[in-house]
Amino acid sequence: MEGESELEPKKYNAKIQNVVASVDLHASIELLKVSEDLSRYTFISYEPEQFPGAVLKLEKPKVSALLFSSGKMVVTGAKSSQMIHESVQEIIKLLAKANVKITEEPVITVQNIVASGNLGRHINLELAALMLETSMYEPEQFPGLIFRMQDPKVVLLLFQSGNLVCTGAKSEEVVHEAIERVESILEEIGAFEQ
């Protein structure tokens, strides 16, 4: 799929599910005019009495953006950091159709990456919960163990099946590092079931 990021190593079947970024376009935007002008090109919704920003949806790449009059945006739904950059360029092209001139290079900051993967082995979550200081496991509330990893600083949801979700990473490399590290930690404490 275009713009999608497959994380190494393949043995984890790691896949980026969502990248969220904040963007500063360095331009004031008249949201009412922009929403009227762009409605024939793309989905855009602006209801200032309900929310101060406009919701903009692109089909290619498939993302959503919250656009504010300050020229700041939040872009979500991307499958890679590269897809965020492509999305911002598409939004700038759309804004040009509404006579919004972006003269400075936009500042794009990845805020959060959510990825899923599988360690390929079952995990003894009770043992992991006992051994991992920054973890929480309440199976009657939620079937996964929540592990707040300090280095790298991410949150991992670990499931008995070996499936995992990583959130809070700022780059694909950090996701990779977190998965490698959690596997190593679980191996070290003997939390993998034989």
Side-chain angles (χ1 to χ4, degrees), residues 41-95:
Y41 301 109
T42 191
F43 174 86
I44 187 165
S45 171
Y46 178 54
E47 297 179 32
E49 61 284 347
Q50 298 200 353
F51 186 72
V55 176
L56 178 73
K57 294 186 183 216
L58 296 181
E59 279 304 310
K60 195 167 182 171
K62 193 164 180 61
V63 298
S64 296
L66 295 176
L67 182 60
F68 298 94
S69 59
S70 63
K72 294 198 175 6
M73 286 192 305
V74 176
V75 181
T76 185
K79 301 293 185 193
S80 69
S81 297
Q82 178 190 340
M83 194 173 169
I84 289 282
H85 288 268
E86 293 166 7
S87 303
V88 171
Q89 292 310 311
E90 285 304 311
I91 291 168
I92 288 171
K93 285 180 196 169
L94 274 172
L95 290 172

Side-chain angles (χ1 to χ4, degrees), residues 6 9 43 48 52 55 87 94 118 150 158 163 173 175 182 190-191 194:
E6 284 299 318
F43 174 86
V55 176
S87 303
L94 274 172
N118 188 300
Q150 299 306 307
L158 302 172
N163 286 334
E173 293 77 25
V175 170
V182 77
Q194 300 306 322

Side-chain angles (χ1 to χ4, degrees), residues 4 6 26 43 55 71 86 112 117 126 138 141 149 153 187:
E4 205 168 284
E6 284 299 318
H26 305 291
F43 174 86
V55 176
E86 293 166 7
N112 185 23
E126 288 83 9
E138 296 178 18
Q141 303 277 325
M149 188 180 278
K153 196 165 178 60
E187 189 78 61

Side-chain angles (χ1 to χ4, degrees), residues 31-179:
L31 292 177
L32 187 58
K33 180 187 177 318
V34 165
S35 66
E36 289 169 356
D37 290 354
L38 295 185
S39 63
R40 66 178 158 261
Y41 301 109
T42 191
F43 174 86
I44 187 165
S45 171
Y46 178 54
E47 297 179 32
E49 61 284 347
Q50 298 200 353
F51 186 72
V55 176
L56 178 73
K57 294 186 183 216
L58 296 181
E59 279 304 310
K60 195 167 182 171
K62 193 164 180 61
V63 298
S64 296
L66 295 176
L67 182 60
F68 298 94
S69 59
S70 63
K72 294 198 175 6
M73 286 192 305
V74 176
V75 181
T76 185
K79 301 293 185 193
S80 69
S81 297
Q82 178 190 340
M83 194 173 169
I84 289 282
H85 288 268
E86 293 166 7
S87 303
V88 171
Q89 292 310 311
E90 285 304 311
I91 291 168
I92 288 171
K93 285 180 196 169
L94 274 172
L95 290 172
K97 292 179 180 181
N99 294 317
V100 175
K101 298 194 183 353
I102 308 298
T103 56
E104 287 184 51
E105 191 65 30
V107 175
I108 301 170
T109 308
V110 172
Q111 299 295 339
N112 185 23
I113 294 178
V114 177
S116 62
N118 188 300
L119 296 171
R121 297 184 274 174
H122 283 66
I123 305 167
N124 179 331
L125 295 179
E126 288 83 9
L127 176 62
L130 285 172
M131 301 297 283
L132 301 174
E133 284 181 28
T134 55
S135 70
M136 188 170 78
Y137 181 53
E138 296 178 18
E140 55 285 336
Q141 303 277 325
F142 180 69
L145 178 140
I146 301 166
F147 178 38
R148 295 183 188 287
M149 188 180 278
Q150 299 306 307
D151 182 28
K153 196 165 178 60
V154 298
V155 175
L156 290 156
L157 303 178
L158 302 172
F159 298 91
Q160 191 263 331
S161 64
N163 286 334
L164 62 84
V165 175
C166 176
T167 185
K170 306 276 192 212
S171 71
E172 284 95 341
E173 293 77 25
V174 169
V175 170
H176 172 73
E177 183 185 341
I179 294 173

